[in-house]
Amino acid sequence: MRATIIHGPGDIRVEDREYPSVLRGSDAVVRVSAACVCGSDLWPYRGIRETPEPRAIGHEFVGVVESVGSDVASLAPGDFVIAPFTGNCGKCAPCRSGVTVACEELVGWGSKDVHGDFVQGAQGEAVRVPNAEATLVKVPGVSDPEDSLLADLLTLSDVMGTGHHAAVSAGVTAGSTVVVVGDGAVGLCAVLAASRLGAGRIIAMSRHEDRAALAREFGATDVVAERGKEGAARVRELLGGVPADAVLECVGTAESMDQALRCTRPGGRVGFVGVPAGGAELPIGVLFAKNISVGGGMAPVRTYMPELLEDVLAGRIHPGKVFDSVLPLEDAAKAYAAMDQRKSVKVMLKP
Amino acid sequence: MRATIIHGPGDIRVEDREYPSVLRGSDAVVRVSAACVCGSDLWPYRGIRETPEPRAIGHEFVGVVESVGSDVASLAPGDFVIAPFTGNCGKCAPCRSGVTVACEELVGWGSKDVHGDFVQGAQGEAVRVPNAEATLVKVPGVSDPEDSLLADLLTLSDVMGTGHHAAVSAGVTAGSTVVVVGDGAVGLCAVLAASRLGAGRIIAMSRHEDRAALAREFGATDVVAERGKEGAARVRELLGGVPADAVLECVGTAESMDQALRCTRPGGRVGFVGVPAGGAELPIGVLFAKNISVGGGMAPVRTYMPELLEDVLAGRIHPGKVFDSVLPLEDAAKAYAAMDQRKSVKVMLKP
């Protein structure tokens, strides 16, 4: 089969790899209908994270179950499924408490499972999924979704669940005043998540007209282009002199965390989901003096999937609009380049 | 009148100062019935914080209203009142949202108010209280509390409200598993607060037998004397292999925050109220990977006072047991020395 391999900074190739098969009773093999490129995939692409040797890449996919192990009862060949960006067992204490990303048998796509067996990356034709019943979510009544629904479903694999985690971690509730830092796919989904949770005011910080337009479509009531002190002052002005109740930090840099803290009112909360890119700091003195809470981290998207899926299937939310480009898998290198150069917000890859 | 003045590290003197009087319509003058020494008072005493010039010290007091300004309607001479460790206006946005410690007219006892007029320190005979109606809480039906009740009421000025803030910030709720880091007066009150909120299991980290005994009396189900990795391992063992849902950090050092994070389960929360003593860090990578939330800061004790007072007056909680010594105001220097040398948990000073 064909699979995307990163060889080093800027070096993405689609190569031939062995087609996966069921190795254990709890496995399923999923034929990928669509995958995509994540902002965090750009880190090794940009050389911010090292790539010591060529490796399979990609962690977001949806597809059709092809085969299942003998212990898999709730999934069958032909089922359309969504995979969260990590696999989990469903049985350990973290899984039972909903923090699936801290699973004791956590599976990273494109690396090895707890038994030492390889699991494929998501940007390829097929993936063996360990602990398939706990990991995959079946989409009821859907076998071959049309493009718009396919895009919506694919966002549940990561960006929509991650944006939702930012909103939940920041305590967004009906009437909250919200600021979203970051206008990438996660930031835009965070706007949608905040809107879905009933926020009263949502300020998207963006200086890109196309992204700002989508933010407005997703529920942003205001867009602020300024950054730093000026951005925080503008937020305060828009909110009648008081910073926001909840700030959703969807970038992961020192600048974005600083921006988030500047925009939070005393007693407010920052929900952060941007993978810390190094340098992001939490100044404990500021948190103490302003009584600002900080929560978040790697999103347990598997836990959020059922409720978000319900809204997608009912047509209440359309997070798939973050995809502004669809390319064949063979053009994975072009997809990375487009996202790296910010020509695209989010690129879907179809095998 | 007599008032406690800090002149520099280790140099506490009780000196003569001018008796306060009402300066504005919203003022009240309170004759102090009891004050006390706070762990944070030890920082200038130990030279960790500078004392550039002699200054009045002390921020916890209860007492009797002596005189009020013309705008004060809800308080009258003879009322017994509790003062929070900072004064607040009750009208600004932070006050209205309950974060009284971020008040736009915040008053620190022993410094100047927003008009530039001096307000006395708490460790003295009397204090002028600006914005008296918003700041002071009247104790109904009490004019001259006996010693045990006096001690309970005095804790509402700071340590009990601060311990409660740690518990609230860490999300303690019925059935939570809780670890309390710090066995000073705030840590002990945090145990009591967690118990009051219905925690299922409360592990106090203490290596002092007398403090551990009081922690047990306040509701600790277990005491762990080990620290660092060993302490965290012991906590995990006591909780059946899973770290705690909620960890209450009541010290403020790098070591105590590290201890707190080690004791928190993935998806759990740290409530921190220890004034950061420098060096305390929040490792964002750990928070991200483990989905640990951190909240807290300077406690809005004024906001918590009514509900805690109700429990004190009903005899349901006795936080005043943290006082293990009562000295006359003239012996303030002895009180500081006893706390500095950890001979006392908390010393009450009576003018």
Side-chain angles (χ1 to χ4, degrees), chain B residues 75-162:
Chain B
L75 295 170
D79 285 347
F80 193 88
V81 292
I82 311 169
F85 65 78
T86 51
N88 63 286
C89 77
K91 294 173 190 161
C92 66
C95 278
R96 280 183 281 117
S97 70
V99 192
T100 50
V101 289
C103 173
E104 292 169 6
E105 297 190 12
L106 194 72
V107 171
W109 311 116
S111 60
K112 287 180 178 173
D113 65 19
V114 287
H115 305 287
D117 294 314
F118 181 66
V119 289
Q120 292 67 30
Q123 294 161 6
E125 287 186 82
V127 178
R128 178 181 67 88
V129 178
N131 295 314
E133 288 191 322
T135 299
L136 299 169
V137 169
K138 178 180 169 175
V139 183
V142 170
S143 58
D144 183 17
E146 44 77 34
D147 288 352
S148 161
L149 178 58
L150 181 70
D152 287 343
L153 296 173
L154 183 54
T155 65
L156 301 190
S157 182
D158 187 343
V159 290
M160 183 61 207
T162 295

Side-chain angles (χ1 to χ4, degrees), chain A residues 93-94 97 99 101-102 165 242 257 265-267 272-276 280 282 284 287-288 291-298, chain B residues 93-94 97 99 101-102 165 242 257 265-267 272-276 280 282 284 287-288 291-298:
Chain A
S97 70
V99 192
V101 289
H165 190 51
V242 182
M257 183 56 85
R265 72 162 169 83
F272 80 106
V273 294
V275 185
L282 288 175
I284 196 168
L287 300 184
F288 187 86
N291 259 279
I292 292 176
S293 299
V294 174
M298 209 190 292
Chain B
S97 70
V99 192
V101 289
H165 190 50
V242 182
M257 183 57 84
R265 71 162 170 83
F272 80 106
V273 294
V275 185
L282 288 175
I284 196 166
L287 300 184
F288 186 87
N291 260 279
I292 293 176
S293 299
V294 174
M298 208 190 293

Side-chain angles (χ1 to χ4, degrees), chain A residues 71-215:
Chain A
D71 301 336
V72 176
S74 62
L75 295 169
D79 285 347
F80 192 89
V81 291
I82 311 169
F85 65 78
T86 50
N88 63 287
C89 78
K91 293 174 190 162
C92 67
C95 277
R96 279 183 281 117
S97 70
V99 192
T100 50
V101 289
C103 173
E104 291 169 7
E105 296 190 13
L106 193 73
V107 170
W109 312 116
S111 61
K112 287 180 178 175
D113 65 18
V114 287
H115 306 288
D117 293 315
F118 181 66
V119 289
Q120 292 66 30
Q123 293 162 8
E125 288 187 81
V127 177
R128 178 180 68 86
V129 178
N131 294 315
E133 289 192 321
T135 299
L136 300 169
V137 168
K138 178 180 169 175
V139 183
V142 170
S143 58
D144 183 16
E146 44 76 35
D147 288 352
S148 161
L149 179 58
L150 183 69
D152 287 343
L153 296 173
L154 183 54
T155 65
L156 301 191
S157 182
D158 187 343
V159 290
M160 183 60 206
T162 295
H164 179 67
H165 190 51
V168 168
S169 299
V172 174
T173 183
S176 299
T177 57
V178 176
V179 167
V180 178
V181 179
D183 62 0
V186 170
L188 292 166
C189 286
V191 169
L192 183 57
S195 174
R196 179 179 170 276
L197 291 170
R201 195 82 179 261
I202 303 172
I203 301 173
M205 302 198 79
S206 175
R207 45 177 61 171
H208 298 87
E209 203 32 65
D210 52 338
R211 294 168 189 241
L214 186 51

